Amino acid sequence: MSDRRSFIKKTLLSSTLLLPGGILESCANPVQKNSNEKFKPLILSTWNHGMPANDRAWEVMMETGSLIDAVEEGVKVTELDMNNLSVGLQGLPDREGIPTLDASIMKGDGSCGTVAFVRQIKHPISLARKVMDETPHVMLAGEGARQFAIAQGFPLESEKLSPKADELYQEWKKTSLYKPIINIENHDTIGMIALGADGKLAGSCTTSGLAYKMHGRVGDSPIIGAGLFVDDEVGAATATGLGESIIRICGSFLIVELMRQGRTPQEACEEAVKRLIAKNKGIEDIQAGFLAINKDGEYGAYAVHPGFNFARHHSNGKDLIDSKSKF
């Protein structure tokens, strides 16, 4: 569990960040000082693994100018990260010992595609992109998604667990106790949202879901409006944490609609957490966090408990930020 426990520890970076006005600030132990900061372009993504994902997304955005390509390629880095046990086929499996994946992708014009309960596909985010681009549908799930993947030329990967996932699964089977530890087993996503210099927006979200979930369980990540929502007229939001708690409030859609009504991204994220707490029992054992960007380049983040952080890339630099939290 040591790799995953590192997500709740403060990450120290040795680089510096050039802030507006030309001030250089150390990125060691960064904190969110000003929720009214504005950046265009801007990429945000969840957790420590958002840093390398953002690096790739920024590179693609600079090379191609395509936000949707950027958010797809960015999270593909995380889908291949063997040290990440909450995204990709190397992620921790369900109770049956099978890794199943969910993903979604969305443009600010309303175009979107998602896949749920997918097996043997290395890049579910790319399969979600194919659903968006090549079908009249929004979501494909299970065996239907698998058949579509084969038809689109996706290779089927071995269903063998990664060494680390197998080790932890064998240990879990000794008790088969299902009580995820917040910020470890129940943060289960990379969500990425991006704002271009032209004010257009895009987002992506991909996960292997909760560790040791019931076979067939689907979380918030592939549900448009729950784990991800993007609207060029307003802004974008993404979520991470216990998917059931996020689905109950349509968290990402809620945040975008609150911004439409005039809330800042920070205010909208805080209101979403407030509603999530009101709709879920046992909140002491539930972690959920939200990220948001509005079309002007303001951003916000908020979580139920401490420990949620996010990566921020913009034209002046990049950093890892500890989110504010309710408790």
Side-chain angles (χ1 to χ4, degrees), residues 46 191-193 204-205 226-229 236-240 252 255 289-292:
T46 56
M192 177 181 288
I193 47 178
S204 60
C205 196
L228 179 69
F229 196 73
T238 190
T240 185
S252 293
I255 288 169
F290 298 99
L291 289 179

Side-chain angles (χ1 to χ4, degrees), residues 116-129:
F117 190 44
V118 172
R119 297 165 65 169
Q120 296 181 271
I121 301 300
K122 182 182 295 184
H123 287 300
I125 193 63
S126 295
L127 187 59
R129 174 81 182 268

